[in-house]
Structures are given as structure tokens and as C-alpha cells.
Amino acid sequence: MILKCIAVDDEPLALDIIADYVAKVPFLELVKRTENAIEAMQLVQEGNIDLVFLDVQMPELTGIQFLKIAGNKASYILTTAYSQYALESYDLNVSDYLLKPIAFDRFYKAVEKVRNQHQKQDVAAAVPVATPVTSPTNAPIQDFIFVKTEHKIQKIALDDILYIEGLKDYISIFTKTERVITLQNMKKMEETLPKGNFIRVHKSYIIAVDKIESIERSRIAIAGKTIPVGDTYRDAFFKLIDSRNV
């Protein structure tokens, strides 16, 4: 079993140490090291990360805030020079808590614990259980995303999204009640949103399929907005629409 990891810390030297330790452990793979907690949050939301080495005190988002937002999509080992956060972190199901400076033997003990936890989960998942049959387009999905706005990190329910418009350096997410502006690119947003529920129809637009009111030629009406279908995206869009015709 290989655990895919990311290291999140606003101190480059601390990231160097974690990266060095990870390289020494055969069952760990460092996917990303970053000083940006928002970037790390996005990676965790995508669901491909097994373990996060997470600093507690960071400028944009503390480790404790990160844990409360991100939930249980990955395992976490907190890394910090301050012991006072230990009790609160364990209440948030943190796998371990490493005090800086971190010795390698203590690091190895912590990651071994995480590997054992994942192995037990894999064994449990291998036991056959009755599960509901779902089609690919109706498969269970995460029903919200978090985006960084100018002053906060905002939770947006996927069902509230009408469409998304890409601008030069940011995107606008239009919901049933508001417009949310965030620094993000369209490709990353397209990859994050569940396929079948959202589709890119233009270099500047992603739409929620269930919010379409009408389609006339290559124009889509959603909540009073007319959205063009670009040539690059036309075939994929109309193929999806045709699959849902009655």
C-alpha cells in the first residue's frame, strides 16, 4: 500500500524536513508540498490524497480550521511547535500530533499508525455488503465545494449553482441567491465539479445541467441568462442532452 501525501506548512524549512522524511519511507509518496492552505484544501476535496501533514499556525487558514472544513476525506498528522492544540486536534480525529523539531523515529511511528489504519479500512471495504445500484450519472457525489473569496472561505452547495463564468483572472459562480467571485481557473473548476451534473459549454462557461430552462440552436437559457455553446464543446454538450431526451 502506497499512501499519497501532501505537506502543508508556511515555513519552507519545515516542508524540506517533511519531504526528506517522506522520501525515506517506502510506503509514502509526496504528491505536493505547499505553503498555500487553500491549494491543499482543493487537493483534499478532490479525494485523491490519503495523508496530510498539516501545520497548525498558518496565516490564511489555521490547521484546526482546515480540519473543521475538510472533514474526513484524508488522514491528518499535525505538525507544530505548540502543544496546546493537541486536545482539540484529537477531538477532530487527527491520526497523530508531531511537535517540532520532529525526530525521524517519531515521524515513522506516526505514519506507520496511519498505514495500519488504512489497511484495516481496506480489509473492511473488501467484505461484500449490499449496496444500492446507481447509474454513473446518479452516483453519490460530494454535494458542496469550498471556494476562497476576498475575505473568507465560502461553502457553496452544488445544487445552488446555476452556472459559472470565467473571466481573466478569476471566476464568478452564479447561484440561486448570489454571485460568488473567487480566484480560480476554469479548468480546475471543471475537474472539481461532478461530471454529468455540470458541463463546460464554452471557454468561459460551465453550466449546471439540471438548471437549463431551454436550448435554442446554440444558446442555452438559465435563470434569464443566455449562454452560448462554443464550437469546441458543442458535440459533447448535445450528446449529453440527447442521452436525456425522452
Side-chain angles (χ1 to χ4, degrees), residues 215 238-246:
I215 305 167
F238 283 106
K239 182 178 179 180
L240 176 64
I241 297 302
D242 288 343
S243 72
R244 301 191 181 189
N245 279 345
V246 294

Side-chain angles (χ1 to χ4, degrees), residues 103-141:
F104 179 73
D105 61 334
R106 182 67 183 86
F107 174 89
Y108 190 88
K109 182 179 179 181
V111 297
E112 180 71 17
K113 181 195 297 185
V114 174
R115 181 173 72 159
N116 290 338
Q117 291 169 347
H118 280 258
Q119 286 175 335
K120 290 177 182 178
Q121 291 170 0
D122 287 347
V123 169
V127 177
V129 294
T131 56
V133 177
T134 57
S135 66
T137 55
N138 292 325
I141 58 169

Side-chain angles (χ1 to χ4, degrees), residues 154-174:
Q154 183 165 340
K155 179 179 179 179
I156 301 176
L158 296 183
D159 188 54
D160 286 343
I161 298 175
L162 301 172
Y163 60 91
I164 297 166
E165 182 178 5
L167 301 169
K168 184 177 180 181
D169 298 317
Y170 58 90
I171 63 174
S172 291
I173 302 172
F174 290 84

Side-chain angles (χ1 to χ4, degrees), residues 209-227:
V209 177
D210 66 341
K211 303 304 188 301
I212 296 174
E213 296 171 356
S214 64
I215 305 167
E216 182 179 354
R217 296 186 178 89
S218 292
R219 296 189 295 273
I220 303 165
I222 298 180
K225 171 76 173 181
T226 300
I227 296 172

Side-chain angles (χ1 to χ4, degrees), residues 30-165:
L30 188 62
V31 175
K32 183 77 174 180
R33 49 181 288 174
T34 179
E35 299 175 35
N36 188 327
I38 308 303
E39 180 184 27
M41 178 73 70
Q42 191 69 48
L43 289 171
V44 171
Q45 285 184 352
E46 290 170 4
N48 298 318
I49 302 300
D50 300 307
L51 173 60
V52 182
F53 297 99
L54 182 64
D55 186 26
V56 174
Q57 291 196 323
M58 293 181 289
E60 290 186 329
L61 193 68
T62 70
I64 300 299
Q65 291 170 333
F66 190 107
L67 289 167
K68 290 178 178 178
I69 294 171
N72 60 356
K73 298 199 73 172
S75 298
Y76 298 90
I77 294 176
L78 289 189
T79 60
T80 181
Y82 305 94
S83 60
Q84 65 264 34
Y85 300 102
L87 182 60
E88 186 176 2
S89 70
Y90 283 117
D91 287 339
L92 295 167
N93 294 319
V94 168
S95 295
D96 213 331
Y97 189 97
L98 300 179
L99 283 174
K100 299 175 182 178
I102 302 168
F104 179 73
D105 61 334
R106 182 67 183 86
F107 174 89
Y108 190 88
K109 182 179 179 181
V111 297
E112 180 71 17
K113 181 195 297 185
V114 174
R115 181 173 72 159
N116 290 338
Q117 291 169 347
H118 280 258
Q119 286 175 335
K120 290 177 182 178
Q121 291 170 0
D122 287 347
V123 169
V127 177
V129 294
T131 56
V133 177
T134 57
S135 66
T137 55
N138 292 325
I141 58 169
Q142 179 175 309
D143 58 2
F144 61 89
I145 57 172
F146 285 100
V147 297
K148 183 184 177 185
T149 62
E150 185 176 1
H151 301 296
K152 62 183 178 180
I153 295 174
Q154 183 165 340
K155 179 179 179 179
I156 301 176
L158 296 183
D159 188 54
D160 286 343
I161 298 175
L162 301 172
Y163 60 91
I164 297 166
E165 182 178 5

